[in-house]
Amino acid sequence: MKLAWQDTDVLDMPTLGTPITTLGGLEDIPGGYGAQLGWARTRAKELRTEFAATGTPDSVTTCDLVTLPYPTRFGLFRASRAIAPFLAITNRMLVIRWTESDGRRRVLLFEPSDVQLGRSTPYFAALARRTPGPVRSLMVTEHGTVLGHLARLGIAPEDVDYLLFDHLHTQDLRRWIGTSTPQPDLGGGPVEPVFPNAKVIVQRHELLAMSELHPLQRPWYQPDTYRDVRPEALSAVDGSLLLGPGVAVISTPGHVLGNQTLLLNTSSGIWASSENAIAAECLTPEHSRMPGIARWARGWQQEVVLNANTIETTAEQYNSLIIEKTLVDRAQADPRFLQFFPSSELTAAWTNPGTRPTFTHKAVTHR
């Protein structure tokens, strides 16, 4: 499939930020994933010290978008013994603001999902078709919109500098960054961007993969929606970058090849956010009270429980989650758990017995 941005050559797209080289070269470590795990843990400890010295952003605000069903066997991989086939996850947007050394103010939106257009993702569209309407209304709750939250925070769309997703599963970005050609399903003409000055920070690996998806990937992407997006709105990056004081994007491949994690240094310490896991207790499963989790982790000698709807490279995802586990601080509310904030966090629901999380963050705040 030919995508508009391929005419600009994705390999020549401009990059941004300051490269973080501490984790570079992980894939070249000889001895396989086991050797890479030990190396990754050691280097992540070094990065933790380095990152803590970069300062803090001006503010971090959490905005709830939507709570929706998700298969238990994906979200809690092989660990759960819950009878519920589905659990609930809440997708949230983080709004991060910081000031550059030259005084320029920056605004980054992490996970600003267009919930309406996301419904066309093949997996979720198929799920909706076979779910009766009254049941859908019980399982899906929309809490707010991206633009509604920004208006509440006093942020104009044109003031947004960056859009960042941990990966592009479910994402249709046409309304956010605009298109170069008419879109029949969005009014017929070219789409004017809601965020005219924003760059989408995406790992080059994932962008390249979009043109020829593997069958394991297809249920979760909307590749046709990227056919005509404005190429100048995409900023392809390679690996980990420091974006601003206390704000970084860390390459964490595995869940998808180009997976990435938002790393934040705040007044409560260091946080990481991604969808490599759906609950903080998935990084310390020995403290989980959900049925089966602690026992499975102990029996299989696993120190994390993956979010595994796509098993592209499971061992690589495991190693990436260990990097996240090593980077973050312990939660102030309960030090048994870590400041890992799932971009889609497990949420208690009476319809899903056995999936009530032991601990939830619900928000990251910093002022």
Side-chain angles (χ1 to χ4, degrees):
M1 179 180 64
K2 185 71 170 179
L3 306 176
W5 45 260
Q6 288 180 313
D7 291 331
T8 67
D9 191 349
V10 67
L11 298 177
D12 293 330
M13 284 183 178
T15 188
L16 72 158
T18 303
I20 295 174
T21 60
T22 311
L23 297 175
L26 174 61
E27 65 280 359
D28 299 324
I29 299 299
Y33 289 121
Q36 291 173 9
L37 175 59
W39 186 91
R41 202 189 304 268
T42 298
R43 299 304 291 269
K45 290 178 182 177
E46 296 177 16
L47 177 56
R48 172 185 163 81
T49 300
E50 296 169 4
F51 181 68
T54 66
T56 60
D58 297 330
S59 66
V60 178
T61 307
T62 305
C63 305
D64 290 9
L65 295 178
V66 62
T67 299
L68 69 162
Y70 190 65
T72 304
R73 69 182 185 275
F74 292 163
L76 297 173
F77 200 20
R78 300 164 177 165
S80 176
R81 299 191 67 181
I83 61 172
F86 289 91
L87 47 76
I89 53 175
T90 298
N91 177 240
R92 299 182 173 100
M93 173 178 69
L94 296 180
V95 181
I96 301 99
R97 289 177 271 195
W98 72 86
T99 304
E100 302 278 9
S101 58
D102 60 5
R104 286 181 297 174
R105 299 291 301 276
R106 295 296 193 191
V107 177
L108 180 149
L109 307 184
F110 180 63
E111 295 295 311
S113 299
D114 188 329
V115 172
Q116 182 182 14
L117 295 187
R119 298 189 191 115
S120 296
T121 302
Y123 177 84
F124 288 108
L127 180 63
R129 286 194 298 269
R130 62 177 185 264
T131 305
V135 177
R136 284 202 305 271
S137 65
L138 285 174
M139 298 176 73
V140 178
T141 303
E142 295 189 19
H143 305 286
T145 65
V146 170
L147 294 180
H149 285 302
L150 292 180
R152 176 176 57 83
L153 295 172
I155 298 174
E158 56 268 24
D159 292 335
V160 174
D161 298 286
Y162 306 115
L163 308 179
L164 175 67
F165 300 87
D166 49 12
H167 61 292
L168 296 177
H169 279 178
T170 80
Q171 304 300 334
D172 180 342
L173 304 181
R174 289 177 295 167
R175 292 203 289 208
W176 290 169
I177 62 176
T179 67
S180 55
T181 61
Q183 303 295 298
D185 63 324
L186 296 180
V191 179
E192 291 298 317
V194 169
F195 301 110
N197 301 316
K199 299 288 188 182
V200 179
I201 302 172
V202 57
Q203 293 291 321
R204 202 177 309 267
H205 282 310
E206 187 173 25
L207 205 54
L208 287 168
M210 196 77 70
S211 62
E212 192 172 354
L213 292 174
H214 188 277
L216 287 172
Q217 300 170 314
R218 290 175 192 154
W220 304 98
Y221 282 103
Q222 299 191 65
D224 287 343
T225 68
Y226 292 82
R227 187 188 304 273
D228 302 310
V229 293
R230 295 166 50 245
E232 62 270 24
L234 298 172
S235 185
V237 303
D238 297 297
S240 305
L241 297 171
L242 181 68
L243 300 175
V247 184
V249 56
I250 305 299
S251 176
T252 52
H255 185 69
V256 303
L257 183 62
N259 208 80
Q260 54 189 2
T261 296
L262 176 68
L263 197 63
L264 296 171
N265 189 29
T266 73
S267 53
S268 62
I270 296 176
W271 291 78
S273 183
S274 80
E275 207 175 83
N276 277 322
I278 65 165
E281 65 201 83
C282 289
L283 280 73
T284 54
E286 64 273 18
H287 299 304
S288 176
R289 293 197 302 268
M290 286 192 291
I293 303 297
R295 181 178 179 181
W296 179 88
R298 183 171 58 251
W300 285 91
Q301 299 182 45
Q302 308 284 300
E303 62 176 294
V304 294
V305 177
L306 303 177
N307 172 26
N309 62 314
T310 56
I311 312 175
E312 293 187 31
T313 48
T314 307
E316 199 167 17
Q317 183 180 354
Y318 187 105
N319 289 358
S320 289
L321 194 52
I322 295 301
I323 289 175
E324 293 170 304
K325 180 174 181 173
T326 305
L327 285 170
V328 298
D329 283 303
R330 293 194 171 271
Q332 294 185 348
D334 189 335
R336 295 178 302 166
F337 302 100
L338 302 176
Q339 291 189 160
F340 175 83
F341 186 67
S343 53
S344 293
E345 186 175 37
L346 179 62
T347 302
W350 67 267
T351 53
N352 307 324
T355 66
R356 175 180 291 275
T358 311
F359 176 86
T360 54
H361 288 297
K362 297 182 180 177
V364 179
T365 57
H366 168 73
R367 291 180 177 82

